Amino acid sequence: MRSLRVLILGGSSEASTLARAIAGRPDLDATLSLAGRTASPLDLPIATRVGGFGGVAGLAAYLAAEQIAVLVDATHPFATQMSEHACLASQQTGVPLVRLTRGPWTPREGDRWHEVADMPAAAQALGSPPQRAFLTIGRLQLAAFAAARQHHYLVRTIDPIGADHGLRDFRLIEARGPFAVDEEEALMRTHRVTVLVTKNSGGAASADKLAAARRLGLPVILVRRPDEPGTAIHSVADALAAIDSHRTPPTPRGV
Ligand code: NAP
């Protein structure tokens, strides 16, 4: 059987899990695509390419040149531009699109969540009195907090944050999760955190900070999920089934 060419748009834990599952499938020939934002991405057992495609047209050209049979959008739920490009390139080329994502977090008893639309609104929601805010929002939108100078920020990122964030009073922790709930609680206690700021990324891998905030009775400012195009699949098994459903049956002999 000819192996099916699959392109996975990655940068999320779902994409990594799917890549590992596909590595054991000789009937699937998959490439994982990364934007190149992380200096040391996880080592995964399938072919990897790094860097943007050059917009919708670039992605469509790549799909054609590489004879991709199924496109999987497994990007992070906040990577809205790439998801939109995937949708449009799929429509233009006719290459079927499978969207794999995780469901958002939902509040539990004891949670003190304040949902906001975007990062500037999160900075505003910190209010006037000085806070000790724990930012787990990645490094690209830190500048949204630059004007709220009365607060101390504990910033946790995977990669260095550079110099153009504009934060005045901050402490940086460079670390890659997952982090256990006890670890998160100890960190918040040690740094006397008064509020957690995060995106509603969903998924188990980074949920323990929310459990730690609940234990400590801390408020959480949560940036709401952007709308996602198309229908999403929430499990790797279902994504594999969807990929398989796009396999063209062999043409019977003599036809
Ligand atoms: P974005 O705003 O949706 O995309 C910006 C541009 O980056 C895209 O137009 C594309 O460039 C390129 N790009 C994005 N994902 C790509 C991929 N998987 N492969 C190749 N090119 C890609 O994305 P973002 O929010 O900056 O996120 C960048 C990457 O980090 C994504 O892969 C995402 O899964 C991951 N990530 C994002 C977040 C987040 O909070 N946004 C969190 C964790 C991980 P071209 O137009 O040139 O093709």
Side-chain angles (χ1 to χ4, degrees):
M1 194 192 330
R2 191 163 171 261
S3 50
L4 198 70
R5 295 275 290 133
V6 179
L7 177 66
I8 306 168
L9 303 172
S12 67
S13 52
E14 293 69 41
S16 305
T17 309
L18 180 63
R20 288 191 194 96
I22 280 185
R25 291 272 310 261
D27 58 326
L28 297 177
D29 174 8
T31 298
L32 177 70
S33 175
L34 300 172
R37 302 275 192 275
T38 305
S40 48
L42 291 177
D43 204 11
L44 290 165
I46 64 168
T48 303
R49 68 164 297 285
V50 179
F53 297 93
V56 179
L59 177 57
Y62 181 95
L63 295 175
E66 296 294 322
Q67 298 183 314
I68 300 296
V70 184
L71 173 62
V72 180
D73 175 13
T75 53
H76 187 274
F78 279 77
T80 46
Q81 183 168 304
M82 190 69 250
S83 291
E84 196 186 321
H85 289 185
C87 228
L88 293 170
S90 163
Q91 285 165 9
Q92 278 182 19
T93 57
V95 174
L97 175 66
V98 173
R99 167 116 181 98
L100 170 64
T101 192
R102 50 186 108 146
W105 292 314
T106 50
R108 297 213 201 139
E109 201 182 327
D111 281 328
R112 296 173 56 201
W113 289 7
H114 179 59
E115 286 200 74
V116 294
D118 53 25
M119 217 46 85
Q124 189 118 44
L126 287 174
S128 302
Q131 300 286 348
R132 296 181 62 82
F134 182 19
L135 305 184
T136 62
I137 58 165
R139 66 192 159 90
L140 298 179
Q141 290 179 287
L142 290 172
F145 296 85
R149 297 170 78 79
Q150 70 274 37
H151 308 301
H152 169 81
Y153 296 102
L154 175 65
V155 178
R156 185 169 67 198
T157 58
I158 295 176
D159 290 306
I161 60 175
D164 55 357
H165 48 74
L167 298 182
R168 183 184 59 90
D169 176 12
F170 73 98
R171 172 102 184 243
L172 174 67
I173 297 176
E174 279 175 39
R176 189 198 288 272
F179 308 98
V181 62
D182 290 343
E183 212 180 333
E184 296 287 49
E185 185 181 337
L187 183 80
M188 291 183 199
R189 281 187 190 281
T190 303
H191 293 273
R192 294 178 287 118
V193 167
T194 58
V195 56
L196 168 67
V197 182
T198 193
K199 298 175 183 173
N200 193 340
S201 301
S206 57
D208 280 349
K209 60 191 172 213
L210 297 168
R214 188 181 311 126
R215 276 188 189 176
L216 294 169
L218 293 181
V220 179
I221 297 172
L222 208 62
V223 179
R224 218 171 282 128
R225 278 284 180 98
D227 289 338
E228 293 166 19
T231 312
I233 285 173
H234 293 296
S235 87
V236 165
D238 288 347
L240 280 170
I243 292 168
D244 286 334
S245 76
H246 293 297
R247 190 182 290 286
T248 320
T251 315
R253 277 167 199 252
V255 174

